[in-house]
Amino acid sequence: MSKLFSSLALGQLNLQNRIIVAPMCQYSADNGKATDWHTIHLGNLALSGAGLLIIEATAVTPEGRISYGDLGLWDNETEEALAKTLRAIRAHSPMPIGLQLAHAGRKASTAKPWDGGAALSPDDENGWQVVAPSAIPFIEGNPTPESLTIEGIEDIKQAFVDAARRAARLGIDVIELHGAHGYLVHQFLSPLSNQRDDQYGGSLENRMRFGLEIFDAVRDAFPSEKPVGFRISASDWVEGGWDLEQSLAFARELKKRGCDFIHVSSGGLHPDQKIPVGPNYQVPFAERIKAETGLTTIAVGLITEPEQAEAIIGTGQADAVALARGILYDPRWPWHAAAKLGATITAANQYLRCQPHTLKELFK
């Protein structure tokens, strides 16, 4: 029996299989509001047969967006727009739906990727003043971020709580907190971007404080029976930066606080990163964290082949695998993986007649 297609519990939520659709920014929102693109895009992925769909990085404040086209959940308008999309998806798919809550910090206020993705100045019509733990720009020449005051930190923590409560009203099944890829929580974690001299900077304990406080506050605000997890970059891939040993310490603290899963990525904080990109290049990080903390662990990064994913789960390197670009390229990847691995998978009634005649038991 395929391990990839065995069930997995995230807290009290049971997933049909261990394939997760990772959050993927679409840069197609209207001032934070979900649009018809989100309905089409997410609806397609919700029919993929994966065990869980996590909606893209969703900003908790307007200033927390990566670009002016990012999705948000900070007021009644953004909540109702997302509710409209979710109603359409749920009418045709039983797949559990997660939401990644995020704040981009100093990597906010950019153009859309297909327009170059460059940082925009605060006086640009699509830009704004960015904030960070310290007044250090992401790239030399970018606008300098404002260093957050304690009051500003408290405001952002409250914004995460407010967004979590909105997510609960929307019936979201899972919250993933974004602490990876050089965004605000990651900026607090890494000594390369955090040079504060107060309780949020300096020691590892202090640098972890912001992320842990956000977790505690969101966990308290979101229904206790629903899972809350964390996405991290396990390494900055830069000497003197955030690394696996610090990630292990952070994961242990998350576990103490009742974190339901950890989603292990890497990089994104510093332009000098040197990443040895290749198949499974991030899986060893997930393997160490799973082995040493016991947290339910999701591996991601150039996992493209069914046999590759099966091996990751079967050998215990991770509890689940997440696909991003690969499932954009092939939105039926879980179907094809099930066919390769001799498993069965859920398909919408409208698609049952497309089952290949050589695979009579592919669809449940």
Side-chain angles (χ1 to χ4, degrees):
M1 180 179 174
S2 167
K3 298 292 187 182
L4 184 63
F5 286 90
S6 62
S7 63
L8 174 66
L10 295 182
Q12 297 181 40
L13 177 67
N14 197 53
L15 308 184
Q16 287 192 357
N17 60 58
R18 295 165 184 254
I19 303 167
I20 293 171
V21 180
M24 292 172 281
C25 291
Q26 296 297 293
Y27 308 97
S28 299
D30 174 17
N31 196 26
K33 298 187 292 292
T35 63
D36 287 346
W37 174 260
H38 293 92
T39 304
I40 294 167
H41 161 69
L42 294 170
N44 183 30
L45 295 176
L47 297 173
S48 68
L52 173 67
L53 166 63
I54 305 179
I55 296 171
E56 67 188 83
T58 301
V60 298
T61 69
E63 298 77 20
R65 293 173 293 169
I66 303 165
S67 81
Y68 64 93
D70 279 25
L71 197 62
L73 188 58
W74 59 71
D75 61 13
N76 291 341
E77 287 189 4
T78 51
E79 182 179 340
E80 179 49 40
L82 188 54
K84 180 182 176 184
T85 289
L86 291 170
R87 284 193 293 270
I89 295 170
R90 288 174 173 143
H92 300 288
S93 171
M95 186 181 293
I97 298 175
L99 183 70
Q100 186 185 69
L101 294 181
H103 191 298
R106 70 180 187 178
K107 290 182 76 175
S109 185
T110 71
K112 297 179 181 182
W114 49 84
D115 293 326
L120 301 176
S121 67
D123 57 3
D124 187 281
E125 63 175 340
N126 292 317
W128 56 87
Q129 177 61 51
V130 298
V131 297
S134 304
I136 305 169
F138 171 53
I139 296 173
E140 187 176 348
N142 279 9
T144 300
E146 289 182 353
S147 178
L148 279 163
T149 63
I150 296 299
E151 182 182 12
I153 287 171
E154 291 299 321
D155 287 345
I156 289 173
K157 283 159 52 180
Q158 185 60 49
F160 272 92
V161 168
D162 294 342
R165 289 174 176 153
R166 292 183 184 279
R169 286 201 294 268
L170 290 167
I172 290 294
D173 298 295
V174 179
I175 283 180
E176 178 177 279
L177 297 171
H178 201 350
H181 302 158
Y183 300 124
L184 186 62
V185 173
H186 188 180
Q187 290 161 30
F188 271 89
L189 292 171
S190 176
L192 298 176
S193 48
N194 183 349
Q195 297 182 9
R196 300 175 71 94
D197 58 6
D198 62 6
Q199 67 266 39
Y200 289 99
S203 68
L204 175 59
E205 179 184 4
N206 284 355
R207 285 184 281 114
M208 294 192 301
R209 190 183 309 277
F210 180 64
L212 294 175
E213 287 180 348
I214 286 175
F215 176 83
D216 288 342
V218 168
R219 178 64 283 177
D220 188 56
F222 198 57
S224 59
E225 72 276 8
K226 293 187 174 185
V228 176
F230 224 103
R231 190 169 196 183
I232 67 165
S233 280
S235 173
D236 289 341
W237 298 103
V238 179
E239 187 175 352
W242 184 257
D243 58 22
L244 179 57
E245 294 305 317
Q246 294 172 87
S247 294
L248 285 162
F250 189 57
R252 291 186 188 105
E253 290 300 320
L254 286 170
K255 186 178 182 183
K256 289 179 189 176
R257 289 163 164 78
C259 185
D260 291 291
F261 65 91
I262 190 163
H263 187 170
V264 185
S265 189
S266 70
L269 182 106
H270 199 282
D272 291 342
Q273 64 186 18
K274 292 181 172 56
I275 304 178
V277 177
N280 284 14
Y281 73 102
Q282 293 174 155
V283 172
F285 293 139
E287 184 176 16
R288 277 280 306 279
I289 289 171
K290 174 178 162 58
E292 295 192 25
T293 71
L295 265 175
T296 297
T297 304
I298 303 168
V300 66
L302 280 181
I303 299 169
T304 59
E305 306 305 315
E307 297 87 351
Q308 178 189 9
E310 178 73 13
I312 291 168
I313 305 303
T315 59
Q317 292 176 288
D319 297 290
V321 297
L323 278 73
R325 291 172 177 84
I327 207 162
L328 286 184
Y329 183 74
D330 179 7
R332 297 292 177 265
W333 192 95
W335 288 15
H336 302 146
K340 273 277 188 77
L341 300 173
T344 60
I345 196 162
T346 299
N349 290 336
Q350 294 90 334
Y351 292 159
L352 293 178
R353 62 181 176 171
C354 78
Q355 178 174 260
H357 72 275
T358 56
L359 299 168
K360 296 297 186 185
E361 296 183 359
L362 176 61
F363 294 154
K364 292 181 181 177

